[in-house]
């Protein structure tokens, strides 16, 4: 079996590559010329450079290839310019799928890594209820909107696609949650809002599990939420990180929503002035403000056989251990 993984040099993509190799698949890692290959050192990996911004070039790059599966994990989660979300996440997906169709790739399955963020802040009345597949998406970030546009376009194609919608993905190599660990090590923790927040997470290897189940069992056109099956309060993740770091002294600051709005407004402005993306930007404001991240993973369990193996209690220690061993902390 031959598999192509886009975004192979990234956090989730690199783990998908490792699992494909473990399964003995002929594994092709799609990268850019400038991509770092720190986590793609296995000599069995076959590399291919794909330009997702140019459909004609993609067709030339994919011509004469015969992949059984394509996992599209390439994308961006934060950008200086909002138009880049749509250029990369939406148009890049369209270009890739059109190219695969035009070169008549004999695909068994195309797995698209989307996000729970396509739904935005819904079911926010307490007690919070799980977001369901049948709910009307109301994305409140450009990231979520760009992913939803790609999903809706895929729905119009005669193409063997399956969509996965993970909630917050964490684990070794991940850089955004790493900033939380770094902050706690430096004796501070930051939370937003005083209203209850129900948060969900999924460990990266459980996402990888779902990817290969989708390749094997996913029905064309189906969309699946992914989490670890648990619901957490906003402080749970921080508390577990602190425990793994040896319980350093800390100051935990809970800021009102209006203060977050001010900080992210200036964070965006500063990013445009310096050309560096701020971790506290307008999209991040809506993500942190959202109170309900519950989602229904029963369809993934029932149809794919997905069964998460890592709750935060299992996943956080593995993540912090990796950060330490690799000199991040």
């Amino acid at each position: 079996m031959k598999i192509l993984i886009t975004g192979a040099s990234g956090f989730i993509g690199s783990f998908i590559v490792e699992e494909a190799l473990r399964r003995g698949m002929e594994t092709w890692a799609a990268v850019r010329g400038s991509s770092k290959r720190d986590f793609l050192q296995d000599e069995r990996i076959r590399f291919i450079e794909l330009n997702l911004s140019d459909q004609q070039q993609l067709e030339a790059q994919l011509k004469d290839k015969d992949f059984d599966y394509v996992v599209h994990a390439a994308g961006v989660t934060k950008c200086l310019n909002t138009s880049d979300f749509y250029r990369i996440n939406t148009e890049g997906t369209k270009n890739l799928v059109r190219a695969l169709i035009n070169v008549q790739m004999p695909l068994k399955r195309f797995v698209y890594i989307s996000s729970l963020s396509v739904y935005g802040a819904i079911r926010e009345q307490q007690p919070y209820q799980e977001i369901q597949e049948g709910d009307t998406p109301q994305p409140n970030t450009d990231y979520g909107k760009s992913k939803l546009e790609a999903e809706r376009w895929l729905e119009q194609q005669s193409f063997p696609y399956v969509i996965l919608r993970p909630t917050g993905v964490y684990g070794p190599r991940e850089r955004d949650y790493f900033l939380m660990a770094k902050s706690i090590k430096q004796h501070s923790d930051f939370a937003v809002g005083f209203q209850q927040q129900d948060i969900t997470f999924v460990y990266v290897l459980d996402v990888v599990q779902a990817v290969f189940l989708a390749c094997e069992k996913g029905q064309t056109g189906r969309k699946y939420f992914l989490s670890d099956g648990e619901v957490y309060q906003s402080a749970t993740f921080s508390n577990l990180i602190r425990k793994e770091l040896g319980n350093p002294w800390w100051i935990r600051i809970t800021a009102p929503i209006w203060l977050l709005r001010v900080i992210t407004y200036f964070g965006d402005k500063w990013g445009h002035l310096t050309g560096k993306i701020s971790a506290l930007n307008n999209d991040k404001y809506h993500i942190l403000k959202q109170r309900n991240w519950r989602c229904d993973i029963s369809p993934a369990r029932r149809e794919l056989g997905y069964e998460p193996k890592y709750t935060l209690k299992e996943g956080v220690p593995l993540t912090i251990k990796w950060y330490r061993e690799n000199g991040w902390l």
Side-chain angles (χ1 to χ4, degrees):
M1 292 291 179
K2 298 181 182 180
I3 187 170
L4 170 68
I5 299 136
T6 71
S9 62
F11 164 47
I12 298 174
S14 62
F15 280 101
I16 298 172
V17 168
E18 289 178 4
E19 178 62 16
L21 292 171
R22 190 189 70 79
R23 290 168 177 250
M25 303 175 81
E26 183 177 304
T27 304
W28 289 73
V31 295
R32 300 185 304 274
S34 59
S35 297
K36 292 183 179 180
R37 304 187 185 187
D38 297 0
F39 307 124
L40 299 174
Q41 297 297 312
D42 194 300
E43 62 183 12
R44 294 171 294 172
I45 299 171
R46 304 182 184 215
F47 291 97
I48 180 172
E49 290 191 20
L50 296 182
N51 181 5
L52 297 178
S53 64
D54 189 317
Q55 181 186 326
Q56 289 187 334
Q57 190 173 351
L58 276 171
E59 290 179 18
Q61 292 165 329
L62 292 169
K63 188 179 180 182
D64 301 324
K65 299 291 189 299
D66 57 347
F67 300 115
D68 298 290
Y69 305 104
V70 172
V71 180
H72 185 36
V76 289
T77 58
K78 49 184 179 289
C79 297
L80 273 178
N81 300 305
T82 56
S83 61
D84 288 338
F85 284 111
Y86 303 92
R87 179 178 60 82
I88 298 169
N89 293 342
T90 309
E91 296 305 319
T93 302
K94 291 180 181 181
N95 288 336
L96 176 60
V97 171
R98 287 183 183 127
L100 290 168
I101 292 172
N102 287 349
V103 300
Q104 299 182 328
M105 187 71 65
L107 279 184
K108 291 181 172 66
R109 201 79 70 235
F110 177 90
V111 179
Y112 177 54
I113 309 295
S114 185
S115 171
L116 177 58
S117 290
V118 301
Y119 276 83
I122 65 173
R123 294 183 178 266
E124 295 257 283
Q125 298 297 317
Q126 292 181 291
Y128 303 133
Q129 302 295 313
E130 290 181 338
I131 297 170
Q132 304 285 333
E133 182 181 348
D135 290 333
T136 301
Q138 300 176 41
N140 52 5
T141 63
D142 285 294
Y143 169 68
K145 291 173 184 176
S146 66
K147 286 288 191 178
L148 181 60
E149 281 194 24
E151 284 193 17
R152 286 179 167 163
W153 183 84
L154 275 171
E155 291 171 359
Q156 301 168 20
Q157 312 308 310
S158 297
F159 194 68
Y161 73 89
V162 176
I163 293 172
L164 299 179
R165 295 164 166 166
T167 183
V169 187
Y170 73 101
R173 308 174 190 169
E174 200 280 331
R175 294 185 178 275
D176 287 341
Y177 290 120
F178 161 69
L179 294 177
M180 181 185 295
K182 184 178 179 181
S183 177
I184 292 170
K185 184 181 180 183
Q186 295 172 347
H187 311 295
S188 64
D189 184 36
F190 182 77
V192 176
F194 301 101
Q195 183 180 335
Q196 178 180 321
Q197 184 178 43
D198 286 1
I199 305 179
T200 51
F201 296 92
V202 60
Y203 189 64
V204 62
L205 293 184
D206 280 330
V207 177
V208 173
Q209 174 202 162
V211 165
F212 286 91
L213 287 170
C215 287
E216 296 164 4
K217 302 179 181 180
Q219 301 174 33
T220 294
R222 293 294 289 122
K223 308 174 184 71
Y224 302 100
F225 295 122
L226 301 177
S227 78
D228 68 5
E230 301 291 334
V231 177
Y232 304 96
Q233 299 308 302
S234 57
T236 309
F237 198 40
S238 298
N239 290 339
L240 286 169
I241 290 173
R242 182 177 180 235
K243 178 182 176 183
E244 291 305 311
L245 292 174
N247 292 309
W249 67 266
W250 65 350
I251 298 173
R252 173 175 277 165
I253 302 167
T254 301
I257 295 291
W258 67 262
L259 180 58
L260 176 67
R261 174 71 282 184
V262 172
I263 292 171
T264 54
Y265 173 81
F266 285 106
D268 250 22
K269 294 295 183 184
W270 180 252
H272 283 91
L273 284 173
T274 61
K276 296 180 180 179
I277 301 172
S278 170
L280 290 172
N281 51 54
N282 284 332
D283 259 22
K284 194 69 171 180
Y285 163 74
H286 292 289
I287 290 170
L288 292 173
K289 178 185 176 185
Q290 187 168 324
R291 299 289 96 181
N292 180 29
W293 290 93
R294 291 172 174 258
C295 59
D296 178 16
I297 66 169
S298 60
R301 281 178 153 143
R302 181 175 62 252
E303 297 175 21
L304 300 180
Y306 169 71
E307 196 57 49
K309 298 178 181 178
Y310 302 87
T311 64
L312 282 185
K313 287 183 179 179
E314 288 82 37
V316 169
L318 293 172
T319 303
I320 299 301
K321 182 174 183 287
W322 187 92
Y323 288 151
R324 280 177 154 165
E325 290 177 349
N326 288 270
W328 287 34
L329 285 174

